[in-house]
Amino acid sequence: MQIIKQIGNIDLLKREKTLFLCSKRTPVQLYKHVFQWTDSLSTDDCIACFNSTEMEAEVLKALLVNKIPTVLFVMNRFVDENNIQITQALQENRMLIVVLKREEPSGKGQTPRLRNECVLSLCQHVVCGYVNKNGSVFSLLAGREGIKNLIDDNVVLLAAEPDSSRERWTVARDKILLRMYYADMGIHAIHKQLHCSYSAIYTRIRSITLPEEVLKGREFEDYVLGLFNLHDDSGFVLKEWQGDKILGDICPENNRHPDFVFDYHGIAIAVECKWREKLLPNLDQDLFSPDKLTVYQQFSAERNMPVFIVLGVGGEPSNPDLLYNIPISKIPSVLSHTKSIVEFLRPSTESIFRISDFIPKDGSKRQKAYTMEEKRYKYPNAYQLWTKEDDDMLLQLSASGKSVGELCKIFGRNHGAISSRIRKLNKY
């Protein structure tokens, strides 16, 4: 598996490292046993981890709050750019983010195992949190020596936490919780500050912040919006963004409208965003109910613009495994099985939207952007968003006399992308 980008202190990759692994859906009652381990670490340690499950995300936050040198491995691109703890750790030179290339666009198949084996080869020690004996982590580590398990069967059987329903939440405690929550400090730091059970903290966060489903919907909207590349002269202009507003059972009529309306040089299109953990068999009930479809059809007719459903499936709302782009005009055919939803699967979840994804130039069938995958064989970072770190390095290397050809090799992008980015940055 190929490393395509490194952000932060690259010297951490040379240090002796311990990889933290755990299975998905770690019971909250077991968190305390994992956090006892994170609290035992010092700045002499260096921990490698992922950020793809809830437990991994919380361990990452605990490591950063405790200022433990950390190497974070992500697939294809780093998406948590606004995390306060990560930003501070990078500034203080105690973190490295390693971006690995996802060989399979869907992220399934052998990708997770190849990722784990690649990172295992870079680490000298392994510490496991909760390991499901029917899961992939258990089979990955089977037969390996020197594995430290923080949780055994006896711990699972005895695990218990106080009844969270009896916790009393005052305004002062809520203020502390929200301040720490939005500072990305994680559930363990909140637990130590407020002396509450982990389950009580989770329950309170859900009750006083955005509901989880609403939050996931907003995360996916942000993800889809990023694929329109509005800051990079893509031609798309965002004209409308319908944020869901509701008070009790009262909500405005436009809550039922598509999430986005874009203009592309006088061509208007509307986009509705939906994310699901998995596709259910009854698409007509879960995604495309008759009343919702009727609303979208009426909107399309009244506004004289096509409406598309951009559907993310699997992974996380901010980084789905699969991405579909479905015209509402084709949904009846999908529901009647005369067309398959697979026909509308994008070849990559990372490729930037083009107007041809919505309005074919020649009036024929919607074009599929398979050429993007071909370009990435030669240019690994083709179509990826530019980060501030990329921009700063590009300007520095360009000013030092590097040719465009040399910059293409360094940044994994083609001649046109490098030249246009330099022109854009020199305008400011």
Side-chain angles (χ1 to χ4, degrees), residues 6-172:
Q6 298 181 63
I7 306 168
N9 184 359
I10 59 175
D11 288 336
L12 292 180
L13 208 56
K14 304 173 186 176
R15 286 183 56 173
E16 186 172 324
K17 295 176 292 300
T18 297
L19 173 63
F20 173 77
L21 285 174
C22 71
S23 296
K24 292 182 179 180
R25 297 181 178 84
T26 300
V28 69
Q29 294 85 356
L30 302 177
Y31 277 27
K32 60 183 178 181
H33 301 283
V34 176
F35 291 130
Q36 286 171 359
W37 169 72
T38 61
D39 285 346
S40 72
L41 300 170
S42 73
T43 54
D44 293 330
D45 295 296
C46 183
I47 306 302
C49 64
F50 304 110
N51 191 23
S52 54
T53 70
E54 194 170 74
M55 180 77 258
E56 290 169 351
E58 292 297 343
V59 165
L60 173 62
K61 291 172 185 175
L63 293 171
L64 298 180
V65 167
N66 291 346
K67 300 188 182 298
I68 308 301
T70 303
V71 181
L72 171 64
F73 289 89
V74 299
M75 299 298 299
N76 255 39
R77 67 188 181 107
F78 172 57
V79 297
D80 204 2
E81 296 175 350
N82 298 315
N83 186 297
I84 294 173
Q85 299 301 321
I86 289 177
T87 299
Q88 185 175 341
L90 289 171
Q91 291 172 347
E92 295 176 1
N93 219 29
R94 52 183 168 84
M95 185 176 192
L96 172 65
I97 300 169
V98 179
V99 184
L100 301 173
K101 183 178 181 181
R102 176 183 289 160
E103 302 295 343
E104 299 169 86
S106 70
K108 294 188 175 181
Q110 290 296 312
T111 296
R113 188 174 187 90
L114 291 173
R115 177 203 69 171
N116 292 343
E117 290 178 345
C118 172
V119 178
L120 274 170
S121 69
L122 298 172
C123 298
Q124 291 73 38
H125 312 283
V126 178
V127 167
C128 291
Y130 171 68
V131 177
N132 182 346
K133 291 186 177 180
N134 296 317
S136 59
V137 173
F138 182 81
S139 61
L140 174 74
L141 300 178
R144 293 180 184 263
E145 297 181 355
I147 308 297
K148 179 180 179 180
N149 291 293
L150 302 176
I151 297 168
D152 58 25
D153 291 340
N154 291 328
V155 169
V156 174
L157 291 172
L158 295 173
E161 277 199 313
D163 181 5
S164 61
S165 63
R166 298 188 179 185
E167 298 280 3
R168 182 173 179 269
W169 292 94
T170 64
V171 172

Side-chain angles (χ1 to χ4, degrees), residues 317-335:
S318 58
N319 192 19
D321 289 335
L322 303 172
L323 199 67
Y324 300 83
N325 185 28
I326 313 167
I328 62 159
S329 60
K330 303 297 183 183
I331 290 175
S333 300
V334 171
L335 296 178

Side-chain angles (χ1 to χ4, degrees), residues 171-403:
V171 172
R173 282 157 64 84
D174 277 347
K175 285 182 177 179
I176 294 171
L177 181 145
L178 287 174
R179 218 168 19 240
M180 298 179 75
Y181 172 74
Y182 286 117
D184 298 310
M185 296 184 71
I187 191 172
H188 185 48
I190 297 172
H191 163 80
K192 292 199 291 187
Q193 178 71 29
L194 297 179
H195 306 289
C196 296
S197 66
Y198 298 109
S199 56
I201 295 168
Y202 267 129
T203 301
R204 192 60 180 170
I205 288 172
R206 285 195 293 266
S207 68
I208 63 176
T209 60
L210 283 174
E212 187 175 7
E213 290 307 313
V214 174
L215 188 60
K216 288 179 178 179
R218 284 294 306 274
E219 284 183 316
F220 185 61
E221 286 178 21
D222 291 346
Y223 173 81
V224 172
L225 195 61
L227 296 181
F228 280 88
N229 213 14
L230 299 177
H231 299 295
D232 207 17
D233 300 327
S234 66
F236 286 103
V237 176
L238 178 62
K239 305 296 287 186
E240 299 175 27
W241 185 350
Q242 300 291 349
D244 289 340
K245 303 175 184 68
I246 188 167
L247 180 61
D249 58 353
I250 302 173
C251 64
E253 184 65 27
N254 65 3
N255 263 23
R256 294 161 62 84
H257 290 174
D259 295 313
F260 301 128
V261 172
F262 295 97
D263 178 88
Y264 184 88
H265 301 299
I267 301 173
I269 62 168
V271 173
E272 171 69 10
C273 304
K274 294 181 181 294
W275 177 84
R276 295 291 187 271
E277 286 190 8
K278 60 181 179 180
L279 280 182
L280 299 177
N282 53 338
L283 294 178
D284 56 330
Q285 297 178 30
D286 181 46
L287 288 168
F288 311 128
S289 63
D291 61 324
K292 288 181 181 178
L293 189 55
T294 299
V295 169
Y296 298 146
Q297 290 169 336
Q298 290 175 346
F299 180 91
S300 178
E302 291 170 4
R303 300 284 293 270
N304 191 29
M305 68 176 71
V307 177
F308 293 78
I309 306 294
V310 175
L311 170 64
V313 178
E316 297 294 330
S318 58
N319 192 19
D321 289 335
L322 303 172
L323 199 67
Y324 300 83
N325 185 28
I326 313 167
I328 62 159
S329 60
K330 303 297 183 183
I331 290 175
S333 300
V334 171
L335 296 178
S336 63
H337 304 296
T338 56
K339 276 189 176 292
S340 169
I341 194 172
V342 177
E343 294 184 35
F344 305 99
L345 177 66
R346 302 200 85 208
S348 169
T349 60
E350 310 292 339
S351 57
I352 299 302
F353 278 119
R354 309 293 178 191
I355 189 60
S356 58
D357 292 316
F358 304 97
I359 310 294
K361 294 179 181 179
D362 59 1
S364 62
K365 288 185 178 180
R366 189 166 53 93
Q367 299 171 1
K368 293 186 178 180
Y370 289 110
T371 54
M372 185 276 298
E373 290 300 315
E374 296 171 358
K375 286 185 179 181
R376 277 195 172 165
Y377 281 112
K378 187 173 182 180
Y379 305 107
N381 293 326
Y383 300 110
Q384 293 211 40
L385 298 180
W386 289 84
T387 66
K388 185 178 183 305
E389 291 82 0
D390 291 336
D391 287 341
D392 292 344
M393 185 183 295
L394 178 64
L395 286 176
Q396 182 180 356
L397 293 176
S398 176
S400 71
K402 293 284 187 184
S403 68

